């Protein structure tokens, strides 16, 4: 990536530096069309300048991928071959998310006979193709988005936007370095206000927005108008870790407001990652979440033209995010569809398999209580005493999880004394 950036810079200065082999491709092969599923697998070919802040995440720490047995739904390599491959390759991956349009639409069939049941477990799967050229992360997040909707009492349009943001943060943040945190801020000028979503390496994510009750008319094609709700503005991505001197921050313009496409453009412009991301939240006629999920595909630097062509074909055959959800496909099914034929097998063969369960949080009351008390103490003794005299207590609400906790005089006095020390 650094070599390509230097080559582009020299070319703009007229130094005539020889370009890397891949940048010499013709314009006709430069870019897969940026569809609503955010396919930017060949985006590195069309780059002419990086659109990122100087503090962009150029030195992101990548977690080594652990290798576990392949899931039953996917074809496994022979034990000896798998061990040999594991010994030869030390894979490190920086997660990225492409833009996938929320094809969520209100009003499906009159009776809406299909929906993912309440008891079905959410999951995130990360896999590497047998030829070590493609990394896939796939998420099932129906229960996660339902939990978010219950907390925020969000409208269908806000549910679609916030649900996509949750899925995107889980895909970008999960399986990274221990204690590494991700925050994405969609700072748009739409009626929904700013969307802020955080995620960690364990798959814990949470989200808030300025107006979760916003509702807009459906688009002419019958889809929820997430783009208009988000509006135009800036997407800010912040990665942080306790041992880093400072967070890494990247800023790019919001491309469409459809969340997934914006993430894909961020990855291409700020992190120079070629990726495809699809995110979907299927909302029913009554405003309830029928299904939610998506995927993120990253092509690694050694990817061949044959693999790119096959991957593009597989993505096209899978269809839009909502179509995938309506088929009721599991994360393993989607992974199989994405990697079909890559590495020479119709049934995907994997170098490794890793799984986690995405959850909403961390928002436990005990954890929140401690943080909220520290925040209240920062108001100062005089202001806290005025509130207690007026209301009899101090009430604090977490904007991420909507938990409301009341603090009374004795507890507040102890917190103020601790703060004074």
């Amino acid at each position: 990536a650094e070599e390509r950036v230097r080559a582009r810079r020299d070319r703009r200065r007229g130094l005539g530096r020889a370009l890397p082999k891949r940048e010499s491709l013709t314009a006709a092969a430069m870019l897969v069309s940026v569809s609503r599923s955010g396919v930017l697998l060949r985006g590195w070919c069309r780059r002419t300048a990086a659109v990122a802040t100087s503090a962009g995440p150029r030195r992101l720490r990548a977690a080594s991928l652990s290798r576990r047995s392949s899931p039953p739904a996917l074809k496994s390599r022979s034990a000896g071959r798998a061990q040999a491959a594991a010994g030869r390759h030390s894979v490190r991956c920086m997660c990225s998310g492409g833009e996938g349009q929320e094809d969520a639409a209100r009003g499906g069939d009159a009776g809406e006979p299909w929906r993912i049941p309440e008891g079905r477990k959410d999951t995130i799967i990360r896999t590497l193709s047998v030829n070590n050229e493609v990394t896939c992360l796939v998420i099932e997040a129906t229960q996660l988005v339902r939990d978010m909707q219950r907390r925020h009492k969000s409208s269908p349009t806000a549910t679609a936007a916030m649900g996509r943001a949750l899925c995107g943060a889980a895909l970008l943040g999960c399986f990274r370095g221990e204690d590494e945190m991700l925050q994405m801020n969609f700072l748009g000028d739409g009626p929904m206000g700013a969307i802020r979503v955080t995620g960690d390496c364990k798959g814990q994510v949470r989200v808030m927005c300025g107006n979760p009750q916003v509702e807009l008319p459906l688009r002419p094609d019958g889809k929820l108008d997430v783009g208009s709700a988000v509006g135009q503005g800036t997407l800010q991505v912040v990665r942080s870790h306790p041992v880093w001197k400072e967070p890494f921050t990247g800023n790019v313009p919001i491309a469409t407001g459809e969340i997934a496409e914006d993430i894909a453009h961020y990855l291409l412009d700020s992190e120079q990652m070629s990726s495809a991301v699809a995110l979907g939240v299927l909302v029913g006629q009554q405003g309830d979440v029928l299904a939610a999920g998506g995927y993120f595909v990253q092509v690694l630097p050694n990817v061949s033209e044959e693999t790119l062509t096959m991957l593009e074909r597989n993505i096209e055959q899978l269809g839009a995010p909502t179509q995938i959800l309506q088929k009721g496909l599991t994360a393993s099914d989607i992974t199989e569809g994405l990697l079909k034929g890559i590495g020479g097998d119709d049934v995907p063969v994997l170098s490794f398999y890793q799984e986690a369960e995405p959850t909403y949080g961390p928002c436990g009351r005990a954890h929140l209580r401690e943080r909220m008390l520290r925040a209240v103490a920062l108001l100062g003794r005089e202001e806290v005493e005025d509130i207690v005299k007026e209301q009899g207590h101090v009430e604090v609400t977490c904007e991420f999880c909507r938990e409301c906790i009341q603090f009374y005089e004795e507890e507040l006095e102890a917190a103020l004394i601790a703060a004074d020390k």
Side-chain angles (χ1 to χ4, degrees), residues 228-242:
S228 295
V230 174
Q232 299 179 339
T234 301
L235 167 59
Q236 181 185 72
V237 180
V238 182
R239 297 188 187 273
S240 60
H241 193 280

Side-chain angles (χ1 to χ4, degrees), residues 106 154-158 191 211-218 224-225 229:
R106 292 181 71 183
S154 52
S155 68
T157 302
N211 181 14
Q213 281 74 47
V214 66
E215 190 56 278
L216 297 176
L218 297 178
L224 294 170
D225 197 355

Side-chain angles (χ1 to χ4, degrees), residues 283-296:
V283 181
Q285 289 180 335
Q286 306 304 317
D288 55 329
V289 177
L290 305 181
Y295 62 79
F296 155 63

Side-chain angles (χ1 to χ4, degrees), residues 62-191:
S64 298
L65 307 183
S66 63
R67 296 167 181 80
R68 302 180 182 177
S69 58
S70 300
L74 303 177
K75 181 180 177 182
S76 301
R77 308 174 74 175
S78 64
R81 187 179 173 192
Q83 292 175 359
R88 286 197 302 271
H89 303 288
S90 177
V91 181
R92 296 167 70 87
C93 170
M94 291 187 289
C95 299
S96 71
E99 251 308 303
Q101 177 200 5
E102 244 313 341
D103 280 293
R106 292 181 71 183
D109 298 334
E112 286 183 351
W114 179 87
R115 60 180 282 137
I116 290 181
E118 289 289 341
R120 182 159 151 180
K121 181 181 176 181
D122 287 341
T123 186
I124 305 177
I125 291 177
R126 182 170 67 168
T127 55
L128 178 68
S129 63
V130 66
N131 59 4
N132 300 307
E133 294 181 356
V134 179
T135 297
C136 287
L137 286 95
V138 180
I139 183 170
E140 292 182 65
T142 304
Q143 313 307 334
L144 173 69
V145 177
R146 286 173 179 168
D147 187 10
M148 178 276 297
Q149 186 185 44
R150 284 192 291 267
R151 292 173 183 271
H152 290 273
K153 298 179 174 57
S154 52
S155 68
T157 302
T159 297
M162 297 167 72
R164 296 179 202 176
L166 278 177
C167 293
L171 290 172
L172 266 66
C174 195
F175 304 122
R176 299 187 66 85
E178 187 70 23
D179 296 328
E180 185 172 340
M181 292 291 298
L182 167 80
Q183 179 167 334
M184 294 193 297
N185 302 317
F186 294 85
L187 308 176
D189 60 3

Side-chain angles (χ1 to χ4, degrees), residues 351-417:
S351 289
F352 74 86
Y353 172 87
Q354 196 172 12
E355 185 174 355
E357 181 180 2
T359 56
Y360 197 96
C363 282
R365 290 185 69 88
H367 180 67
L368 284 174
R369 199 172 190 89
E370 180 182 348
R371 287 164 43 204
M372 287 178 173
L373 267 177
R374 291 200 300 265
V376 170
L378 294 176
L379 295 175
R381 179 176 294 275
E382 183 178 350
E383 186 168 352
V384 170
E385 289 178 350
D386 288 344
I387 297 174
V388 172
K389 287 179 182 178
E390 181 181 343
Q391 301 179 1
H393 63 272
V394 175
E395 184 176 281
V396 184
T397 301
C398 174
E399 295 298 325
F400 279 103
C401 63
R402 306 308 301 171
E403 287 280 358
C404 183
I405 299 179
Q406 295 179 347
F407 299 98
Y408 292 88
E409 187 171 358
E410 182 178 345
E411 193 172 14
L412 292 169
E413 181 63 26
L416 290 169
I417 293 174

